[in-house]
Amino acid sequence: MTNKKEGNNLRLLERLFKIKENGSEVKTEIIGGLTTFVTVAYVLLVIPNILKIGGMNSEGLVGDEAAKLLMTNDPLIASAFASTCLGATIGTLIMAFKANLPFVLAPGIGLTAFFSYNVCLKLGYSWQQGLAAVFISGLIFIVITLTSIREKIIESIPRNMKLAITAGIGLFIALIGLKSGGIVVANPGTLVAFGDFTNKAVILTLIGIVIMCILVARKVKGAMLIGIIITTLIGIPMGVTQLDSSIKIFSLPHIGQTFFAMDFKGLLTHNGTGIIGALISILMVVITLSLVDLFDTIGTLLGTAQRSGMLDSEGNVRNLRKALESDAIGTTIGSILGTTTLTTVVESAAGISEGARTGLHNVIVATLFILSLFFSGIVGIIPSSATSPALIIVGVLMVGVVKDIDFEDFTEAVPAFFTIAMMPFSYSIANGIAVGIIFYPLMKLFTGKRKEVSFILYILAALFILRFILLPD
């Protein structure tokens, strides 16, 4: 009886996600989902704490004053935590069942930082008005996705640029891992430098890298997940993995303070500049949110799908339109719940590197996201020293495509180089793609090869130049 029930469950999963058809197994999808979750779970804590800096706290403090607040001491920040969990859960499930792809949706850290520091602090919008702008950008996403504009943009990106995006994301992911693991740190004299190798957390990161490299080299199934678990356990006697005896289980935060908190009227009358002035300011905010999310998503989809072979016969991402629709719907829902723009997170590459190829991977991640609502105290137990090695390994795997880029043609080499270099150096996937898109038509135009460039790229290059001039990060 039990075997029959298990067989029925497997057939149901096969019908829903076409697991075998996509070259995967249920076990692989589960391992991939667990790997992605432990790699990306930090956003559940980081996002609310960035939002509080922009004023999303009961005291109404912003900037450094807000940064001193503890998330657990503020019901509004607890509400933001709940919004982040729910937004990520819903967005990830939409991607699972609509597009059947292993790409996780969650609030982007770069976009959330832009929301708090630029929209709220620099431009003076309240967080409620900012959420209204995010909602509008989500509606714009839905419209341009339904009209296939986003697909045409992806199709207009030349092959060498797509390869450069993959390599750039590899370097970017590796930098995130090196930074969060303490191996590289900021330095005013040299920009970056080695961290303190006598620090226990850094030592644990190095141990984790060695363990994970060996497991991956030996082709052990679930190498990164196993490596994360082993490194976390090693961190206990080292004092890096913190087991807090005061952790509360089943402590469900309330979402009411951020749900439907959007202030459209305030957005339109911001600072009393009048309708025209307000519309221009809003337009630039919405365009920036839209462009950054658009190219963050495009970069992650292209980069990880190309590296893992999830492309159709025409060389495009499988179920591309459905993936873009999922992202657009997720952003709109996220703003309603009270969180910032949902984007396809680059950490999805961790689970995909483990072999995940279908939406079942997302169901696992989404389940863990929703469970995090009840176990918020233990979400942060796994130290960054244990997850950082996974990001570094993913970076190693992705950067390999650089060998396929045509560096012999200088008009191709320059935009490819800037795409790769600007992602880690500007700490943004979207910025890297933007700079590459600006240089590509410039190089072709002034070397007599303008016909090699799609008209869409000329428009995008102009938009990015305008965006960098009028609303720089």
Side-chain angles (χ1 to χ4, degrees), residues 60-184:
L61 301 174
V62 294
D64 293 337
E65 290 181 319
K68 296 175 184 176
L69 288 174
L70 292 175
M71 185 184 75
T72 52
N73 291 339
D74 192 323
L76 185 55
I77 300 302
S79 181
F81 170 78
S83 300
T84 302
C85 290
L86 290 174
T89 299
I90 294 170
T92 299
L93 287 175
I94 292 172
M95 182 70 79
F97 291 104
K98 187 173 182 62
N100 191 26
L101 288 168
F103 295 106
V104 171
L105 291 176
I109 289 181
L111 280 161
T112 305
F114 173 81
F115 179 94
S116 288
Y117 289 101
N118 287 62
V119 177
C120 296
L121 293 182
K122 186 176 180 180
L123 298 178
Y125 289 98
S126 70
W127 62 267
Q128 294 94 333
Q129 294 163 359
L131 288 178
V134 173
F135 179 81
I136 293 170
S137 72
L139 294 180
I140 292 173
F141 283 153
I142 292 174
V143 171
I144 66 174
T145 301
L146 292 176
T147 55
S148 75
I149 293 175
R150 292 175 100 180
E151 286 178 278
K152 293 185 185 302
I153 289 173
I154 293 177
E155 291 167 2
S156 73
I157 298 174
R159 179 177 181 274
N160 282 313
M161 280 284 291
K162 290 178 179 177
L163 292 170
I165 288 170
T166 302
I169 290 175
L171 281 180
F172 179 59
I173 292 175
L175 177 60
I176 293 173
L178 291 167
K179 178 177 178 289
S180 62
I183 294 176
V184 297

Side-chain angles (χ1 to χ4, degrees), residues 311-385:
L311 302 174
D312 59 24
S313 57
E314 297 178 357
N316 293 317
V317 180
R318 170 168 54 89
N319 293 338
L320 176 60
R321 174 173 284 195
K322 291 181 178 179
L324 295 174
E325 288 173 357
S326 301
D327 180 79
I329 296 168
T331 289
T332 309
I333 292 174
S335 64
I336 293 171
L337 292 169
T339 193
T340 49
T341 305
L342 294 188
T343 188
T344 306
V345 295
V346 72
E347 288 84 0
S348 302
I352 292 170
S353 294
E354 288 286 11
R357 296 291 180 271
T358 75
L360 179 57
H361 160 276
N362 278 26
V363 173
I364 302 301
V365 178
T367 301
L368 294 169
F369 274 148
I370 201 67
L371 286 175
S372 298
L373 275 171
F374 302 92
F375 298 89
S376 59
I378 63 173
V379 169
I381 281 182
I382 298 175
S384 58
S385 297

Side-chain angles (χ1 to χ4, degrees), residues 135-457:
F135 179 81
I136 293 170
S137 72
L139 294 180
I140 292 173
F141 283 153
I142 292 174
V143 171
I144 66 174
T145 301
L146 292 176
T147 55
S148 75
I149 293 175
R150 292 175 100 180
E151 286 178 278
K152 293 185 185 302
I153 289 173
I154 293 177
E155 291 167 2
S156 73
I157 298 174
R159 179 177 181 274
N160 282 313
M161 280 284 291
K162 290 178 179 177
L163 292 170
I165 288 170
T166 302
I169 290 175
L171 281 180
F172 179 59
I173 292 175
L175 177 60
I176 293 173
L178 291 167
K179 178 177 178 289
S180 62
I183 294 176
V184 297
V185 296
N187 184 291
T190 59
L191 189 62
V192 293
F194 273 139
D196 179 6
F197 288 101
T198 63
N199 184 288
K200 290 181 180 180
V202 178
I203 294 171
L204 183 61
T205 301
L206 295 172
I207 292 172
I209 292 173
V210 172
I211 291 171
M212 220 167 286
C213 285
I214 293 171
L215 291 173
V216 171
R218 295 181 68 87
K219 295 180 170 53
V220 175
K221 194 72 173 175
M224 283 186 280
L225 179 60
I226 294 170
I228 290 170
I229 294 170
I230 293 174
T231 306
T232 300
L233 294 174
I234 293 173
I236 295 174
M238 292 178 66
V240 179
T241 303
Q242 299 294 326
L243 300 178
D244 189 349
S245 59
S246 64
I247 288 173
K248 295 180 180 179
I249 299 178
F250 297 114
S251 55
L252 181 63
H254 194 266
I255 194 177
Q257 297 193 49
T258 53
F259 182 65
F260 256 112
M262 300 168 291
D263 180 10
F264 292 99
K265 182 179 178 180
L267 183 67
L268 291 171
T269 59
H270 176 66
N271 286 343
T273 55
I275 293 295
I276 301 300
L279 286 177
I280 292 174
S281 180
I282 293 166
L283 181 63
M284 290 312 303
V285 170
V286 170
I287 285 176
T288 300
L289 288 170
S290 301
L291 286 175
V292 174
D293 183 33
L294 171 64
F295 285 96
D296 266 351
T297 298
I298 286 175
T300 303
L301 288 173
L302 283 177
T304 52
Q306 189 158 277
R307 171 65 182 80
S308 56
M310 288 188 294
L311 302 174
D312 59 24
S313 57
E314 297 178 357
N316 293 317
V317 180
R318 170 168 54 89
N319 293 338
L320 176 60
R321 174 173 284 195
K322 291 181 178 179
L324 295 174
E325 288 173 357
S326 301
D327 180 79
I329 296 168
T331 289
T332 309
I333 292 174
S335 64
I336 293 171
L337 292 169
T339 193
T340 49
T341 305
L342 294 188
T343 188
T344 306
V345 295
V346 72
E347 288 84 0
S348 302
I352 292 170
S353 294
E354 288 286 11
R357 296 291 180 271
T358 75
L360 179 57
H361 160 276
N362 278 26
V363 173
I364 302 301
V365 178
T367 301
L368 294 169
F369 274 148
I370 201 67
L371 286 175
S372 298
L373 275 171
F374 302 92
F375 298 89
S376 59
I378 63 173
V379 169
I381 281 182
I382 298 175
S384 58
S385 297
T387 57
S388 297
L391 297 177
I392 295 167
I393 298 301
V394 171
V396 172
L397 295 173
M398 293 185 70
V399 80
V401 300
V402 73
K403 67 181 184 298
D404 298 321
I405 298 174
D406 180 12
F407 283 106
E408 297 300 318
D409 183 344
F410 201 66
T411 64
E412 297 282 339
V414 169
F417 167 78
F418 278 112
T419 299
I420 294 169
M422 286 299 110
M423 286 188 191
F425 284 124
S426 70
Y427 218 69
S428 167
I429 293 172
N431 282 348
I433 298 174
V435 175
I437 284 177
I438 290 171
F439 269 96
Y440 195 86
L442 283 176
M443 293 299 296
K444 297 294 184 180
L445 181 64
F446 291 105
T447 54
K449 299 179 179 180
R450 60 182 178 83
K451 291 184 179 180
E452 295 181 16
V453 184
S454 165
F455 181 67
I456 293 175
L457 280 189

